[in-house]
Amino acid sequence: MVVVMTPDASDTQVDAVVSRVRNIGGEAFVSRGVRRTIVGLIGDVDQFRALNLRRMAGVADVIRVSTPYKLVSREHYPSRSTVVVGQSSERPGVSIGPGFFTLLAGPCAVESLDQALEAAEMARAAGASLLRGGAFRPHTSPQAFRGLGKSALRILAEAGAATGLPVVTEIMDAKDIDLVSEYADMLQIGARNMQNYALLDAVGRIAKPVLLKRGIQATVEEWLSAAEYVAQRGNLDIVLCERGIRTFEQATPATLDISAVPTVQRLSHLPVIVDPTHASGRRDLVLPLARAAIAVGADGVLIDVHPDPDSALCDGPQALAGSEIRELASAIRRLAPLLDRRTT
Ligand code: PEP
């Protein structure tokens, strides 16, 4: 069951709901999103019914949810959510969700200050509103470039500050949670870690948005259940990212499951973006797949760019150079309004 609090519910009212549930031996998880707080209940549904939670102050609704993922399910909250990244007293933040189409772009891996600044400037000039960049790099081969770690985080934050773009970067280990949150505005869980439950719990406990990529072999239900882990720990600011799944097809490293976008949007209120770069692994496919993402109703795209893709330390064949990211951004500006979305 899920208790939806009114937008103006106070902490005391939320605590009162939690105590009432815990007093009868149930579990209650509070999740706070930008616009609402919800409390997920685990335990005996008949006992919960007898508590009359709906009558409590600050409670808007109590809903029985039949899916294994409750807090992220659309059954409990019919309107789609918007996640705001990088909001502070100095800046309004970047919205990802219905009505917007958001371009996230940047280098696959941070290689040096010059490379990151140049890539960030390419992204900004093309119209990106969020800067991506890898500091801790997951790779299938241990021989591949694994990232500069902490120094890359510093560089990325500097590139973000220089361009005014909030920063998103991948976290691979729960022990790095304080370090990565110090530098990033949004934390990415990569495909390989989608079911790393310690990591999901860790990002669920912080007050920063999470970009949750779909695991390469994950079903939609497994993906949404992973999001539920994050939500259950208290963080509802989750953006899902479809990045292709493994199929028998060998022409690309993964097959972009474009149907997952409307499927997930029907099942969950969370925003969904698409990563055409890692799905295709091929620069020539990034633009057509980004167009498909816009057409299918995605809330944004995540794109690798590099000032000199041929010299990139990793994933050069999939990175866009300056003219290519400009072409992609111009396609977004033309197509997104046709689907009632404004670019952020
Ligand atoms: C990435 O975005 O840098 C990345 C490695 O993607 P994925 O986890 O989807 O492979």
Side-chain angles (χ1 to χ4, degrees):
M1 276 178 126
V2 170
V3 179
V4 183
M5 304 302 295
T6 56
D8 57 353
S10 66
D11 287 349
T12 317
Q13 290 168 335
V14 176
D15 291 346
V17 170
V18 170
S19 310
R20 193 174 281 192
V21 170
R22 291 195 178 146
N23 284 345
I24 57 146
E27 281 187 79
F29 297 96
V30 180
S31 301
R32 294 176 205 277
V34 178
R35 293 203 172 78
R36 64 182 172 270
T37 296
I38 57 182
V39 186
L41 311 187
I42 298 179
D44 185 328
V45 173
D46 291 331
Q47 273 191 305
F48 292 151
R49 273 213 199 93
L51 291 178
N52 268 328
L53 297 170
R54 192 166 281 144
R55 296 239 180 99
M56 292 183 73
V59 171
D61 206 357
V62 179
I63 299 159
R64 184 154 187 200
V65 182
S66 56
T67 52
Y69 42 88
K70 298 185 184 344
L71 302 173
V72 306
S73 157
R74 213 159 166 179
E75 262 184 58
H76 103 265
Y77 196 80
S79 31
R80 300 193 53 233
S81 300
T82 299
V83 171
V84 182
V85 184
Q87 191 171 31
S88 71
S89 48
E90 285 101 57
R91 58 184 184 189
V94 175
S95 295
I96 308 180
F100 301 103
F101 192 86
T102 309
L103 173 59
L104 301 82
C108 192
V110 171
E111 299 168 5
S112 66
L113 179 60
D114 286 350
Q115 172 256 10
L117 284 172
E118 236 184 295
E121 183 48 33
M122 279 167 66
R124 190 208 57 79
S129 40
L130 286 166
L131 174 64
R132 66 142 287 147
F136 297 99
R137 297 284 314 139
H139 277 294
T140 307
S141 163
Q143 261 67 270
F145 178 56
R146 290 157 85 170
L148 300 177
K150 185 172 177 176
S151 53
L153 292 174
R154 281 206 212 97
I155 292 174
L156 199 56
E158 194 172 330
T163 49
L165 301 178
V167 160
V168 50
T169 194
E170 178 160 354
I171 174 165
M172 287 175 56
D173 193 323
K175 77 171 167 34
D176 294 327
I177 191 79
D178 292 337
L179 174 69
V180 180
S181 344
E182 189 185 330
Y183 293 98
D185 298 288
M186 181 182 216
L187 273 59
Q188 176 173 322
I189 304 276
R192 292 160 185 83
N193 269 316
M194 189 205 83
Q195 285 179 314
N196 178 336
Y197 298 113
L199 193 52
L200 296 173
D201 278 349
V203 297
R205 289 198 188 91
I206 59 161
K208 291 223 171 173
V210 174
L211 180 62
L212 179 62
K213 289 199 149 189
R214 180 180 184 180
I216 194 147
Q217 315 212 52
T219 63
V220 163
E221 185 169 311
E222 288 163 344
W223 187 18
L224 292 177
S225 299
E228 184 76 5
Y229 267 85
V230 180
Q232 223 180 56
R233 289 292 160 229
N235 189 350
L236 255 190
D237 287 332
I238 308 163
V239 175
L240 300 166
C241 179
E242 162 59 42
R243 51 80 70 220
I245 49 172
R246 176 153 297 165
T247 66
F248 60 82
E249 180 52 65
Q250 308 273 302
T252 50
T255 300
L256 184 66
D257 182 6
I258 203 77
S259 68
V261 175
T263 303
V264 166
Q265 287 174 343
R266 221 177 31 248
L267 296 171
S268 170
H269 56 87
L270 299 178
V272 192
I273 66 165
V274 165
D275 176 353
T277 304
H278 289 87
S280 69
R282 281 173 43 182
R283 188 174 308 138
D284 62 316
L285 296 183
V286 172
L287 175 57
L289 294 184
R291 283 199 212 107
I294 302 169
V296 84
D299 300 307
V301 280
L302 178 69
I303 307 287
D304 281 8
V305 297
H306 196 287
D308 179 14
D310 292 338
S311 72
L313 294 184
C314 66
D315 293 345
Q318 65 193 29
L320 301 191
S323 59
E324 292 152 343
I325 184 67
R326 283 196 295 277
E327 191 185 353
L328 185 140
S330 128
I332 292 175
R333 279 194 294 275
R334 274 182 287 115
L335 297 178
L338 301 177
L339 287 115
D340 295 329
R341 286 180 181 266
R342 66 194 162 87
T343 47
T344 60

